[in-house]
Amino acid sequence: MKEDVQVRIAGIAGDGSFITGEVLASILKKIGYYVVTVKDFPSNIRGLPSNYTVRGSSKPVYGRNDYDDFLIAFDIPSIKTHLRDLKEGSVCIYDSRDGKELSDDLKKEGVFYVPLPLREIARKELGLELIKNMVAVGVLSEIFGVDEEITDRVILENFKRKGEKVVELNKKAVLRGRELVRENHGRFPEFKLKKYNDPGRILAMGNDFVSMGAIAGGCRFLAAYPITPSSEILEFLSKEMKKFGGAAIQAEDEISSINMAIGASIAGLRAMVASSGPGVALKTEGLSYAGMTETPIVIYYAMRVGPSTGLPTKTSQEDLLYIIFAGHGEFPRLILMPATPDELFYLTVEAFNFAEEFQIPVIILTDQFLAQNKFTIDKEKIDPKKVEIRRGKIVLNGNDVPRNNGFLLRYKIEEDGISPRIIPGIKEGVFGTTGYEHDEAGYGTEDEDNRVSMVKKRMSKIKHLIKRVPPPVLYEKKNAKIGIISAGSTFGPIMETIERLEKDGISVSFLRIVTLWPFPEDEVRKFVEDKEKIFIVEQNYKGQLRFLVENAIIDIHKNKIRGITKFSGRPFKPLEIEEKIREELK
Amino acid sequence: MSEILSEVKVRTPKDYEGYKKPTWCPGCGDFSILSSLKKVAAEIGLDPFKTVVVSGIGCSGKSYAFFYANGVHTLHGRVLPVATGIKLGNPELFVIALSGDGDALAIGGNHFIHTARRNVDIKLIIMNNQIYGLTKGQFSPTSNHGFVTVSSPYGSVEFPVDPVVLALASGASFVARAFSGEPNSLTEIIKEAFLHKGFSVIDVLSPCVTYNKVNTYDWYRENIEFLPNDHDKENLTEAFTYATSFKGKIPLGIFYKKERPTYEELILDSSNPCREDLYCGRERVYELIETFSK
Ligand SMILES: Cc1ncc(C[n+]2csc(CCOP(=O)(O)OP(=O)(O)O)c2C)c(N)n1
Ligand code: SF4
């Protein structure tokens, strides 16, 4: 019985690897497994290689495993590409159209090679070559021992909007795949999966969890310009927002989108933009305007590989330092880095609360891996009832606010740095807002004393903010002398690494940064102090998180720090982290 | 937020005096635009609490502080996106956008096209002095070919864009041109634009007395001509014809005026997001969770 299985489906974009993966993910979820998907698609629509990995496990998992148990290769070059992820005992199922015998360089010891006439069956027996992928689903379902009733239901759910005929044809294809296995029955008994009852977990993309968080958190405005890996937010919310009387719109560019969100926020809405590196680069002037005008906005930032267009569909954590410092001038900001589905949901809600309470820009920082892959989570972990909406010092009646000559003091200097937030349209009074340095009424002035007080007012929010932001999450092992620090999507492989090392008697404690900025210096310092070695795991070349950690600790602790970085655009496998740590401990 | 509506009281132009006294150079064309705005506001009884003046960066952009209403002074070129956000945020607000020729057509040129296309109900006044005032006299997108400035010492090699033609081509539903030196017609045109529902563009020729020594009041007087009274304002072809060739003169008046549904009406289905309960999304999230856990 297998309790952790990983399948990779590979071919040319257009081969249907994507839908195969999605269907498999649903099937695994239905037999009660926790699921993760890893999409690896080119920035191209057709003709280039693409692959989709699905992992199912009886325990919660948030990343891919080291090796694939199955490779479904729709073409021979895909075998070559993914050979290194096969190990002894793995099964490589490939389309025998290209010849049954593989050349030696495609063979790895201990791997079972199974040529199957997927295309031929699809074309000759089912009349549609494209449906070869559902034949492959059938093959795997039979090997896994999944009941027919379950595959039928998944097929129905996935294809019902295409009509009954399509559903029937897909069911037939799955059945035909099952027969292929039965004809050679008993070959892979070790891959039978355990059967659990489906507890109805949520299976959704990172971006979906963020969109749901935005809806629950009272977001009523999104302006975005399509960009991988954040476009799904625009797509999701342009469907949903109408239902709550809000607007989710596609702007002409990213400059426009952030300025639209600023406008909507000034009008009193909870407003958001969603983008990635190249788009955020265009938004930085707006970001600093929001900083100066103390306009609450939420920026969802899903990092991809740079510089420039880089690898648009691949993952990275290359922009940590960039987003901390982006925008000219000094102003407070909050940057949150979720790592799990529930955090994606709740931190999005909190992003809106913090933005309004502190009247600052708040950034939700994810990456392509978290944004576009699917994860399962137990339903009770996301409870919209628990959502709280805190609007801060919003003012609905001008008479509650002191004024100067009839102009309300939108930027009144207060001890906590937070002024009354006046919404236009309220009774009795008007106010000004400007990107120039301004007085308490919001009108430009170059007065030196005013400048000093206004800078102090804005910056004084930080000390109050620090007390309220989500602290790092500590996964503590008693007396551990080794520590790991990371943030965001590296969480999954790190947890698996720790578990493996624990089995060998090596205990490792783990500090996961949730609020990237203001950087949790105190917690980091404390964590580092009693450790002998600290590994900082991150997806970039320079070691940006390491830079922040080293900046927070005193010199004598710096020689403990080791960086584990990956910048290929692909997420970490646990083994990559594990090997580096073992090597260092030798 | 039911307090949004406040009663309109009888007002005079003086009631619309802003937080500050204008700081333009004496003789600047922008004074006349401001005083026409105040006149129109008084005539139609504009409610300052429900009005937002959005302006850009430039001499023109300073005007947000000179008019009694809510004032939002945006970044250079970003008047229209911010105005769009405000209008979608609360469609009951009356949104006036004030922009320079550089602000609206150089750095903000892209937004100009798309806001017109969308027909957001914003009244845009381009305070067009054919030069960059605030940065001290560089050429602008409306400067004439051959115009000598500090940044075009050999004469500008670029040809100007015509804001009226661009507005017509981009789908603005109200397009007009006026001249600061003709305050009566300027006031009338602003009033008509204010009463029009939809994206309204007024290109106002507004001399910069300090840096533009070519396009002066006298020069404009010699080069302008009013559109004939019988011009059919709903006829786009006719509007284009007048805008592109008119006796070798710069035509003034209303070129085009035709209502069609606004962007905010279409996007919001006539709801007002400002009035919605923020917790109303929660029930929907339960439903979404159900669809994702099937
Ligand atoms: C992003 C940016 N670039 C440049 C500037 C400098 N700048 C300020 S005003 C201006 C031009 C203003 O010209 P126009 O829009 O025609 O307005 P006017 O001053 O003539 O009324 C420029 C280039 C700026 N503020 N922001
Ligand atoms: S520089 Fe020109 S545009 Fe600016 S205030 Fe003076 S006259 Fe007006």
Side-chain angles (χ1 to χ4, degrees), chain A residues 285, chain B residues 30 57-60 76 100-103 107 127 129 131-135 140:
Chain A
E285 193 199 18
Chain B
D30 294 351
I57 298 292
C59 294
S60 44
H76 190 28
D101 38 308
D103 198 65
I107 192 163
M127 302 158 102
N129 50 20
I131 201 158
Y132 284 7
L134 192 65
T135 46
S140 95

Side-chain angles (χ1 to χ4, degrees), chain A residues 104-130:
Chain A
D104 283 349
D105 63 324
L106 295 179
K107 290 200 168 152
K108 198 173 198 172
E109 253 201 55
V111 174
F112 295 102
Y113 290 90
V114 186
L116 290 177
L118 299 173
R119 265 195 186 74
E120 200 180 291
I121 288 175
R123 199 182 57 240
K124 285 197 185 145
E125 298 178 25
L126 303 158
L128 183 66
E129 190 175 301
L130 217 66

Side-chain angles (χ1 to χ4, degrees), chain B residues 135-205:
Chain B
T135 46
K136 300 187 192 305
Q138 300 84 359
F139 69 91
S140 95
T142 53
S143 296
N144 290 334
H145 180 71
F147 189 49
V148 176
T149 71
V150 284
S151 61
S152 55
Y154 306 108
S156 172
V157 298
E158 299 179 12
F159 284 86
V161 63
D162 183 330
V164 165
V165 178
L166 186 61
L168 290 171
S170 306
S173 57
F174 180 102
V175 183
R177 182 183 284 122
F179 170 43
S180 282
E182 288 284 347
N184 291 342
S185 59
L186 171 63
T187 308
E188 256 168 55
I189 286 175
I190 292 178
K191 187 172 168 188
E192 258 198 73
F194 277 19
L195 299 176
H196 171 85
K197 190 187 67 172
F199 188 58
S200 313
V201 180
I202 313 174
D203 174 30
V204 184
L205 307 171

Side-chain angles (χ1 to χ4, degrees), chain A residues 210-222 237 241 244-247 264-265 268-272 296 298 345-346 348-353 356 384 387-391 394 421, chain B residues 273-285:
Chain A
V210 171
S211 296
M212 287 192 273
I215 290 171
C219 171
R220 290 295 172 269
F221 188 87
L222 168 90
L237 292 182
M241 202 68 100
F244 320 104
S265 174
L269 301 193
R270 293 196 148 195
M272 170 184 192
V298 172
F345 179 84
Y346 285 113
T348 301
V349 173
E350 281 310 305
F352 287 99
N353 286 333
E356 284 208 310
V387 166
E388 194 190 14
I389 290 177
R390 306 186 302 272
R391 304 210 68 185
I394 204 156
R421 179 155 156 251
Chain B
C274 245
R275 294 181 185 274
E276 302 289 335
D277 166 25
L278 284 195
Y279 281 110
C280 72
R282 286 204 306 205
E283 281 312 305
R284 178 67 187 149
V285 174

Side-chain angles (χ1 to χ4, degrees), chain B residues 173-239:
Chain B
S173 57
F174 180 102
V175 183
R177 182 183 284 122
F179 170 43
S180 282
E182 288 284 347
N184 291 342
S185 59
L186 171 63
T187 308
E188 256 168 55
I189 286 175
I190 292 178
K191 187 172 168 188
E192 258 198 73
F194 277 19
L195 299 176
H196 171 85
K197 190 187 67 172
F199 188 58
S200 313
V201 180
I202 313 174
D203 174 30
V204 184
L205 307 171
S206 176
C208 169
V209 294
T210 305
Y211 294 109
N212 191 336
K213 304 293 185 190
V214 176
N215 309 106
T216 59
Y217 285 97
D218 287 343
W219 185 89
Y220 281 121
R221 280 204 181 92
E222 267 164 44
N223 285 282
I224 54 172
E225 175 104 26
F226 285 93
L227 292 175
N229 283 336
D230 64 355
H231 162 47
D232 175 6
K233 291 176 195 149
E234 295 217 339
N235 185 333
L236 187 61
T237 314
E238 205 176 294

Side-chain angles (χ1 to χ4, degrees), chain A residues 432-450:
Chain A
T433 283
T434 175
Y436 274 79
E437 188 56 275
H438 42 264
D439 60 15
E440 289 186 301
Y443 290 89
T445 166
E446 303 197 349
D447 181 84
E448 188 172 358
D449 293 338
N450 178 77

